[in-house]
């Protein structure tokens, strides 16, 4: 019996015993309390590199499932292009990994979440797929000498992500 209502349910069975000799005995009842299990759903999120995911797992249950209070364990599948993902089993109501992506493309981290109702009933696992947008990284340090009052027109090279360019005539702050 599966109970996903968010509250415990009671099922009453009436049993009528029959002896091996064919004689029918008096009926009796068996009452079983079926604990509700928390229900969540697969979801997606997007974060920028070096920004905490801050994903609420209880909100997932409240939004997509039955709203049952739960505790959670979770872990991330490793992605060699991202740093900061928790690949060891964690517990808590929030995924707060500070994910770092210095590639030139979006990267994905998939978390597997196991909810357990506060009544002890385990729920089915679900996944949270987090897209991590890359951060700009300047490919090399730049040294320049610039005369006062002359526009600076150096294009900042990156690893493929855009940090913009300082165009000729655009304002740039250079030290005191």
């Amino acid at each position: 019996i599966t109970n996903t209502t968010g509250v415990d349910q009671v099922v009453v069975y009436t049993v009528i015993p029959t002896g091996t000799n064919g004689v029918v005995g008096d009926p009796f009842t068996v009452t079983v309390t079926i604990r509700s299990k928390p229900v969540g759903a697969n979801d997606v999120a997007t974060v920028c590199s070096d920004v905490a995911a801050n994903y609420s797992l209880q909100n997932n249950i409240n939004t997509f499932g039955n709203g049952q209070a739960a505790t959670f364990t979770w872990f991330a599948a490793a992605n060699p292009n991202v740093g900061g993902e928790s690949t060891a089993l964690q517990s808590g109501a929030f995924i707060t990994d500070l994910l770092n992506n210095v590639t030139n493309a979006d990267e994905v981290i998939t978390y597997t979440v196991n909810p357990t109702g506060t009544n002890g009933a385990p729920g089915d696992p679900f996944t949270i797929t987090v897209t991590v947008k890359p951060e700009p990284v300047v490919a090399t340090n730049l040294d320049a000498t610039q005369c006062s009052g002359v526009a600076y027109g150096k294009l900042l090279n990156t690893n493929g992500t855009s940090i913009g360019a300082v165009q000729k005539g655009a304002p740039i702050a250079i030290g005191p």
Side-chain angles (χ1 to χ4, degrees):
I1 297 176
T2 300
N3 177 7
T4 59
T5 64
V7 295
D8 293 349
Q9 300 292 321
V10 175
V11 176
V12 179
Y13 294 95
T14 300
V15 180
I16 302 172
T18 303
T20 56
N21 61 2
V23 177
V24 176
D26 293 333
F28 62 94
T29 60
V30 175
T31 302
V32 179
T33 299
I34 309 298
R35 292 185 173 157
S36 177
K37 67 180 185 176
V39 176
N42 297 339
D43 196 16
V44 296
T46 300
V47 298
C48 292
S49 181
D50 292 336
V51 175
N54 205 28
Y55 186 94
S56 170
L57 299 171
Q58 185 62 53
N59 281 350
N60 181 288
I61 299 289
N62 295 345
T63 301
F64 300 114
N66 57 5
Q68 180 176 339
T71 61
F72 304 91
T73 58
W74 51 269
F75 64 93
N79 178 331
N81 295 321
V82 175
E85 70 269 38
S86 297
T87 57
L89 190 63
Q90 304 290 311
S91 61
F94 289 87
I95 296 174
T96 58
D97 286 351
L98 186 64
L99 303 170
N100 180 262
N101 176 7
V102 293
T103 69
N104 63 356
D106 290 352
E107 291 290 336
V108 174
I109 296 292
T110 301
Y111 291 90
T112 300
V113 180
N114 295 294
T116 301
T118 54
N119 62 3
D124 296 328
F126 58 91
T127 60
I128 307 301
T129 303
V130 179
T131 298
V132 185
K133 294 189 170 290
E135 67 182 78
V137 176
V138 176
T140 60
N141 289 331
L142 301 173
D143 291 323
T145 301
Q146 184 68 32
C147 294
S148 176
V150 177
Y152 185 71
K154 178 73 175 169
L155 179 65
L156 300 176
N157 295 320
T158 67
N159 67 346
T161 60
S162 175
I163 62 172
V166 178
Q167 300 295 327
K168 194 170 189 175
I172 184 169
I174 300 178

